[in-house]
Amino acid sequence: MDQVALEIVIISAYDLKSLTNFGRPMRTYANVWSDCTTQNSTRVDRHGGRYPTWNDKFQMTVSKGFLKQKGSSLLVQIYCKTMLGKKRVGSTRMPYSDILEGYTPPDSIHFLSYRIRCPNGSPQGTLDLSIRFLDKIDPCLHSSRPQAEIKFPSFPSKSKKNASSSGDVIMER
């Protein structure tokens, strides 16, 4: 099998910059790119304004070759419909390595939040989504970076001084 199936739910965004005039509510939607060729769009949120909610679910496939590539990512672009056409509010890229690094068995859902960037690169808002791989993934697709080992500081143990018959100090642990 050369493809990996995944399920993406574009949940919501918050704290977006308003691109409408005269107090009109923003009508936003998101385009989701799983690779260079596969695109899906959410429905238009007409009521959320700067805090849209979509909860739209997509099933997409990604080639294993694409997942192995350095820098491969999921791209989400958010647009606002205006009277003059559409304007890009911002976009975010989620590297597949972020998702695969903490990989758990199929049907496990990863809830993610990523910073949305304006077309000029400045941060403006956050996107919430979930991703679930529907197929079992080969171990070779996982990140090859060694996992950081957690080291806890060692504290001196409490000690009691007990006087023995010989006068030595005994440390208890």
Side-chain angles (χ1 to χ4, degrees):
M1 181 187 273
D2 196 31
Q3 301 282 321
V4 175
L6 56 111
E7 179 183 85
I8 300 168
V9 179
I10 303 298
I11 301 170
S12 63
Y14 57 94
D15 203 22
L16 298 178
K17 179 181 174 186
S18 181
L19 297 179
T20 59
N21 296 330
F22 310 113
R24 294 182 184 188
M26 287 179 44
R27 297 176 298 156
T28 56
Y29 66 96
N31 285 341
V32 183
W33 296 83
S34 62
D35 58 21
C36 302
T37 59
T38 309
Q39 175 194 4
N40 285 301
S41 294
T42 65
R43 61 185 165 70
V44 175
D45 178 280
R46 298 182 184 280
H47 306 290
R50 294 182 51 222
Y51 301 89
T53 301
W54 299 287
N55 287 321
D56 285 354
K57 184 186 296 188
F58 307 107
Q59 286 191 0
M60 306 172 105
T61 57
V62 180
S63 72
K64 289 182 181 180
F66 183 73
L67 287 176
K68 289 180 185 180
Q69 289 178 3
K70 185 177 182 177
S72 64
S73 60
L74 179 74
L75 173 65
V76 179
Q77 296 174 320
I78 298 173
Y79 290 92
C80 174
K81 286 190 169 188
T82 66
M83 293 175 65
L84 300 175
K86 67 179 184 179
K87 290 184 183 178
R88 193 167 94 190
V89 177
S91 61
T92 186
R93 286 187 182 273
M94 289 142 281
Y96 281 114
S97 61
D98 284 2
I99 303 162
L100 292 170
E101 189 171 302
Y103 177 73
T104 52
D107 289 340
S108 295
I109 298 174
H110 298 267
F111 288 95
L112 305 167
S113 292
Y114 275 86
R115 173 67 79 193
I116 298 168
R117 302 249 174 221
C118 289
N120 67 7
S122 64
Q124 73 103 3
T126 304
L127 176 73
D128 293 328
L129 69 149
S130 69
I131 296 178
R132 176 173 67 141
F133 284 94
L134 301 174
D135 297 328
K136 190 171 184 174
I137 297 181
D138 298 334
C140 65
L141 294 177
H142 296 270
S143 176
S144 60
R145 292 188 299 173
Q147 296 294 325
E149 193 174 310
I150 299 173
K151 294 184 180 181
F152 295 101
S154 58
F155 295 102
S157 62
K158 294 182 178 180
S159 62
K160 294 182 180 178
K161 292 184 181 180
N162 290 337
S164 66
S165 59
S166 63
D168 295 329
V169 174
I170 300 173
M171 304 280 281
E172 288 183 1
R173 294 182 189 230

